[in-house]
Amino acid sequence: MLDIAGPAQVHHPPFRPTAPALRPPRPGTWRIAVPPALLMLVLGLWGLEREGALWADEAVTYDMASRTVPEIWRTLGSADAVHGLYYLLMHGVFTVWEPGLVPMRLPSVLAMCATAAGVAAIGRQLAGPRAGLLAGLLLPMLPMVQKYAQEGRSYALVCACVTWGTWLLLRRRWAAYAAVMLFACLLHEFAVLVLVAHGVTLWLGARARSLPQADGLLPALPRGWRIAAAVVVLGLAPLIGVSITQSQQVDWIAFPSDPDLILIALGAALARLSLRSPALAAVAPVAVPILVLPTALLLAVSLFDPLFVSRYVLSYAVGAALLLGAVLDRHWSRALVLATAAASVVALVGHGPQQRTPAGRSDNVGRVAAAIAAASEPGDGVLFSPHRRRSSILVHPSSVRGLTDVSLAASPRASDTLFGAELPPDRIRARMLAADRIVAIQDHWGKPVDPFPEERVKREVLAAEFTLQEERSVGRVRIGIYLRNAPDGEPNTRPNTGPDSTP
């Protein structure tokens, strides 16, 4: 009998997350995990040295790892305690391997290999072997993953710990979970935000199993996880206490940039679509909280105290890869696979080579150091404003040989600081006024200015007593040549008004 009333309305049941899988790992897990790790290794080693270029934070890593353990420990008392464990680890690497770009960056490559393997293992456990393999292979193709896999900073190591911490969460191995997550948080304290994501995952699992205690948040969380989370927080507390006293180090952070906001919007859209799809009910309770919550919490805090930098919550890539792998698995077809592979190759060919050149980072301390040397003359003064711009010469000290650093009281290593100890404001003023020509390395116009008296006097003296003759932009800084005004207040020469000049 023909139905002439029209197509029946299909009503999908509302999304209800399923409980995260708790079964033992299936045989063959490592066969699924190894191919993503090998892909990540190939992409990570490709162009690893980046033509010898370092950016500012890597220069700090290189300098700190080259110091002795007592020197590192003394420096952490005044600065960068949040990265202290990472610096100690890298000091160990430099002890057994001659310092260089490869030994500095290789731990990040290997950490991202472990991350890719972990994503594949989690995806297999939650949605099957094909979903796990796809998720693991997609992770290395993400541009931000390739970027931080090749940086001498802690973010790739944190990502690996968070990934395997998530795997241990699903296995209910609470002692190992506590150890791995504490290690992640000591590498970078914002990893503690992933604990919130894990708590939500467990709560969603309890609701999916209709446990009586799931109506309340704390009762729904397993006792083992509550103890593990408490251990992590208590173990992290001393570091948080020290880092609060060093909060001036992040005064440079502004409101999230447009690319960051676009990335956040894309993540939110992926999360929303995933939550509305019953086909992703097994993966979403694990992946969506990792994708969304650390980013959302840090962004919320940044509305009052700017702290958001996307690399601080890089674990969002793990959640994104898990969801994308599950989507591809759910809608598997030869056409979709070919289209995804083609898009990945196009993105890799279009973006990959440039990312592995000096231009692939926001700055290049070697280029800045060379520009300082080119702009200066013997006997000139050199001024870093803010003083953290001295990072440009940490690994290129010869670029300022023969110059007078007019604000420096003691070198970074001698003063147990990251960028050197500054003179008091009155001494900075006197030394600036004693110079006829100053090469100033400053942030770009529009960036937040440091409110400290030492930095304020630099700006005031340059504005009142010197005339900008020439200025050029080099990466994230501007390098200006300033001439001392004549006694009558007139400039010694007219400022350069060429295209590279910024008054």
Side-chain angles (χ1 to χ4, degrees):
M1 184 177 191
L2 296 176
D3 182 0
I4 61 174
Q9 296 295 316
V10 178
H11 297 283
H12 292 288
F15 170 77
R16 285 181 60 85
T18 61
L22 301 178
R23 56 188 178 276
R26 304 173 186 174
T29 294
W30 294 108
R31 288 199 297 272
I32 297 298
V34 167
L38 291 177
L39 175 61
M40 185 71 256
L41 182 63
V42 170
L43 294 177
L45 294 179
W46 172 29
L48 181 59
E49 292 189 86
R50 214 160 53 242
E51 299 177 24
L54 295 89
W55 73 292
D57 283 9
E58 285 188 307
V60 174
T61 295
Y62 195 99
D63 180 68
M64 287 290 288
S66 300
R67 302 185 190 187
T68 66
V69 171
E71 287 174 335
I72 295 172
W73 189 254
R74 289 195 298 268
T75 302
L76 297 179
S78 62
D80 241 12
V82 66
H83 295 297
L85 177 58
Y86 178 70
Y87 293 147
L88 291 169
L89 291 174
M90 292 310 301
H91 172 78
V93 173
F94 279 11
T95 299
V96 299
W97 193 344
E98 182 179 356
L101 296 182
V102 171
M104 183 177 69
R105 292 173 180 158
L106 188 59
S108 294
V109 174
L110 297 178
M112 275 304 185
C113 292
T115 302
V119 166
I122 294 169
R124 176 185 174 88
Q125 180 173 330
L126 295 175
R130 188 169 63 190
L133 180 61
L134 289 169
L137 292 174
L138 283 169
L139 182 91
M141 302 304 295
L142 299 177
M144 74 288 292
V145 169
Q146 294 183 39
K147 177 179 180 178
Y148 293 108
Q150 294 188 321
E151 288 203 352
R153 298 298 281 174
S154 64
Y155 311 112
L157 279 70
V158 173
C159 213
C161 290
V162 165
T163 300
W164 286 100
T166 303
W167 186 83
L168 291 167
L169 175 86
L170 299 178
R171 303 260 58 78
R172 299 298 203 264
R173 297 178 182 175
W174 301 126
Y177 171 82
V180 170
M181 291 304 298
L182 178 57
F183 191 73
C185 293
L186 292 176
L187 283 170
H188 197 288
E189 60 191 16
F190 285 160
V192 74
L193 299 174
V194 179
L195 280 182
V196 180
H198 286 168
V200 170
T201 290
L202 294 171
W203 178 71
L204 291 173
R207 289 195 62 188
R209 295 192 299 273
S210 301
L211 297 181
Q213 68 268 33
D215 291 336
L217 179 58
L218 283 179
L221 302 177
R223 181 173 178 271
W225 182 85
R226 283 180 281 164
I227 294 173
V231 168
V232 173
V233 172
L234 289 174
L236 181 62
L239 177 60
I240 293 176
V242 173
S243 61
I244 287 174
T245 68
Q246 301 173 0
S247 59
Q248 73 276 5
Q249 282 191 264
V250 293
D251 286 344
W252 59 270
I253 299 178
F255 193 74
S257 63
D258 289 344
D260 282 338
L261 292 176
I262 292 173
L263 192 63
I264 291 168
L266 290 174
L270 177 60
R272 179 174 175 80
L273 292 173
S274 301
L275 289 173
R276 296 179 65 180
S277 172
L280 301 181
V283 176
V286 176
V288 170
I290 294 175
L291 171 65
V292 172
L293 286 179
T295 299
L297 291 171
L298 191 57
L299 187 61
V301 171
S302 296
L303 295 176
F304 307 96
D305 185 11
L307 288 174
F308 184 87
V309 181
S310 60
R311 62 181 178 267
Y312 292 172
V313 285
L314 184 60
S315 56
Y316 67 82
V318 173
L322 286 169
L323 290 173
L324 291 173
V327 168
L328 284 178
D329 177 62
R330 176 65 178 83
H331 301 285
W332 179 268
S333 69
R334 179 174 296 181
L336 181 60
V337 171
L338 291 176
T340 303
S344 299
V345 171
V346 168
L348 186 62
V349 171
H351 183 71
Q354 188 272 342
Q355 192 176 57
R356 290 161 173 83
T357 67
R361 298 300 185 273
S362 57
D363 65 359
N364 176 358
V365 295
R367 185 172 170 228
V368 174
I372 295 171
S376 60
E377 298 175 357
D380 281 354
V382 62
L383 179 72
F384 296 93
S385 179
H387 79 295
R388 61 178 171 269
R389 288 301 167 208
R390 204 172 276 117
S391 62
S392 303
I393 62 170
L394 288 176
V395 295
H396 301 284
S398 62
S399 62
V400 293
R401 187 172 294 132
L403 309 181
T404 300
D405 192 329
V406 294
S407 67
L408 183 67
S411 69
R413 195 158 187 167
S415 60
D416 293 322
T417 60
L418 291 182
F419 308 115
E422 296 275 278
L423 290 166
D426 58 336
R427 293 283 308 283
I428 294 176
R429 179 185 297 273
R431 292 184 70 174
M432 289 180 68
L433 293 177
D436 293 327
R437 190 174 187 269
I438 288 179
V439 178
I441 298 86
Q442 304 173 83
D443 285 339
H444 284 301
W445 297 105
K447 293 293 184 181
V449 296
D450 286 13
F452 312 118
E454 297 85 356
E455 300 299 339
R456 191 161 50 244
V457 75
K458 296 175 189 178
R459 297 190 294 268
E460 291 172 353
V461 174
L462 280 180
E465 304 293 342
F466 287 79
T467 297
L468 177 63
Q469 182 190 40
E470 181 181 352
E471 187 171 80
R472 60 175 296 197
S473 175
V474 182
R476 292 197 301 179
V477 303
R478 51 193 175 97
I479 300 176
I481 299 174
Y482 287 81
L483 298 184
R484 179 84 158 84
N485 292 340
D488 59 3
E490 292 296 320
N492 282 319
T493 186
R494 295 178 62 184
N496 186 329
T497 57
D500 290 336
S501 178
T502 306

